Amino acid sequence: MERRTLIKQAGMAGILAGAVAPAVHAQPAIRWRLASSFPKSLDTLYGGAETLSQCIRTMSSGKFEISVHAAGELVPAFGVVDAVQNNSIEAAHTAPYYFFGKNECFALGCAIPFGLNSRQMTAWMHDGNGMKLMREFYAGYNMVNFVAGNTGAQMGGWFRKEIKSMADMKGLKFRIAGFAGRVLERIGGVPQSIPGGEVYPALEKGTIDAAEWVGPYDDEKLGFHRVAPYYYYPGWWEGGTEAEFFVNQKAYDALSQDYKEMLEAAAAKAHVVMQARYDARNPAALRKLVGAGAKLRPFPADMMAAAFKAAQGLYDEIGATNPNWKRIYADYSKFRADQNLWFRFTEATFDRFMQAQKL
């Protein structure tokens, strides 16, 4: 009796196994190309796309392949959006604020001066209205977006000379990404848009006076401290910079539901991994930079106040002429105000106490 029962159960298990065999085996093979805006040397940023690719390859048992290409291999660093939009490539990995010249709303999917920090940005995108609003906007560019990592709050960059007050910003040529350049102009600076791989020689030759990138881990690899010793903080224009994957709408629509779910899950993993790597690796890199002669300096208070005021004025002006900005920023700014109130009582208070302790 027990033997017959076991045989029956084994037979039923086989039937069930066949019924729930991974649906991926019935899926067509897919081959995509992804262009990054980042060089391979920046393993944290460029690595986000590799995490996505590896994760999808594993989940699909190799049937969904995304080949990752560094900036310049397929298209220039700042050409990835056009390439995805016109379906020259299926996907891109980039910092959306690089493309604020197309429309200021691109910056809202990445970082704006005095905006959300990394946790708040993730909350807005995943549990607020951020993803819905940004996908509606990106649809106008024939793209679907996915969160793809966050650097956390960034440093303020490397300066060849010391900045003692806002007056020292006048005429200063500063490599700075995205929206921050418009605010910089309003406080006297001269923004320069230069891809990451070209920043060091420009700083070394004096073509620019200062440059920001991300933070200690990436900056130490790029060697900026050797040509510009003053390392300022905080990067008020990047309190939580989000990278994103852009996928061509037609390519996305052609995916099965299984593959769409894999893409969503792989992007979420890439998002978490990037933030974790920066948080884990920045402290040791900062120590190395200081040991190599980097001089840490906070931005002058008058410059911070002037930049904040300039940013708020800029956002109001954009809202008067850009209806997409007005709609998305209204939601973003309300979410930011609520988050700021909450963090004031919890995160910020806890952090201030802990940072005052001797550990």
Side-chain angles (χ1 to χ4, degrees):
M1 184 70 175
E2 289 180 1
R3 184 172 179 271
R4 287 199 300 272
T5 301
L6 286 172
I7 291 172
K8 184 184 292 186
Q9 290 175 343
M12 182 59 69
I15 292 170
L16 289 173
V20 298
V24 68
H25 294 306
Q27 299 292 333
I30 300 287
R31 298 291 181 268
W32 279 9
R33 296 185 303 167
L34 180 150
S36 174
S37 286
F38 313 114
K40 290 182 180 179
S41 58
L42 298 175
D43 58 331
T44 39
L45 284 169
Y46 180 82
E50 292 185 315
T51 299
L52 176 90
S53 176
Q54 292 164 4
C55 190
I56 286 179
R57 185 185 307 114
T58 299
M59 288 191 290
S60 69
S61 297
K63 299 202 75 173
F64 189 176
E65 291 272 0
I66 300 179
S67 61
V68 179
H69 303 268
E73 289 184 359
L74 294 179
V75 294
F78 296 157
V80 298
V81 164
D82 288 340
V84 171
Q85 188 177 358
N86 64 31
N87 206 18
S88 297
I89 55 174
E90 291 80 15
H93 182 219
T94 190
Y97 61 15
Y98 289 156
F99 309 97
F100 77 98
K102 291 179 178 291
N103 190 302
E104 292 91 349
C105 293
F106 274 90
L108 291 169
C110 185
I112 61 173
F114 304 102
L116 297 167
N117 68 24
S118 63
R119 274 186 56 182
Q120 294 164 354
M121 186 67 175
T122 296
W124 183 60
M125 292 296 288
H126 282 286
D127 206 57
N129 295 320
M131 185 64 79
K132 173 181 177 292
L133 291 167
M134 294 310 300
R135 283 195 170 172
E136 289 172 355
F137 169 70
Y138 290 133
Y141 293 85
N142 199 30
M143 301 188 305
V144 180
N145 69 305
F146 296 86
V147 296
N150 200 299
T151 66
Q154 297 190 9
M155 290 291 283
W158 299 89
F159 291 70
R160 290 164 62 91
K161 66 177 183 178
E162 194 168 3
I163 304 298
K164 297 180 179 179
S165 73
M166 203 179 86
D168 293 323
M169 296 298 294
K170 187 174 177 59
L172 186 134
K173 292 176 290 184
F174 189 11
R175 184 276 175 194
I176 195 165
F179 235 141
R182 291 192 182 178
V183 177
L184 183 71
E185 287 178 319
R186 295 182 176 220
I187 60 172
V190 182
Q192 309 288 308
S193 182
I194 305 174
E198 300 173 21
V199 175
Y200 185 94
L203 199 57
E204 183 180 32
K205 295 174 184 176
T207 306
I208 56 176
D209 303 306
E212 60 81 34
W213 184 241
V214 177
Y217 182 71
D218 285 341
D219 292 1
E220 194 267 336
K221 291 164 77 71
L222 293 172
F224 295 143
H225 60 286
R226 292 193 289 269
V227 290
Y230 295 100
Y231 199 20
Y232 276 86
Y233 62 90
W236 44 264
W237 51 91
E238 303 195 65
T241 305
E242 182 176 281
E244 290 200 336
F245 295 116
F246 289 142
V247 175
N248 174 267
Q249 184 73 59
K250 184 178 179 180
Y252 178 75
D253 290 343
L255 293 177
S256 67
Q257 188 59 39
D258 289 324
Y259 281 168
K260 287 178 180 177
E261 292 291 339
M262 289 179 196
L263 188 60
E264 190 88 38
K269 180 178 180 179
H271 185 66
V272 172
V273 168
M274 182 186 289
Q275 175 84 68
R277 285 176 176 169
Y278 274 117
D279 285 345
R281 300 174 185 184
N282 275 330
L286 183 61
R287 292 190 187 96
K288 286 177 66 177
L289 286 167
V290 172
K295 302 174 182 179
L296 293 174
R297 298 286 188 276
F299 277 126
D302 66 336
M303 194 202 84
M304 292 285 288
F308 179 82
K309 183 178 179 181
Q312 308 318 303
L314 176 63
Y315 302 154
D316 290 342
E317 290 176 19
I318 295 170
T321 59
N322 185 333
N324 280 321
W325 174 275
K326 184 175 182 179
R327 181 170 61 93
I328 300 172
Y329 182 69
D331 187 86
Y332 180 102
S333 60
K334 183 181 184 304
F335 194 89
R336 180 181 55 187
D338 290 342
Q339 290 291 298
N340 194 45
L341 175 64
W342 167 237
F343 273 56
R344 183 184 308 159
F345 293 106
T346 54
E347 303 292 335
T349 304
F350 177 76
D351 288 348
R352 282 196 300 270
F353 175 81
M354 289 302 298
Q355 288 154 12
Q357 307 312 305
K358 185 176 181 180
L359 301 176

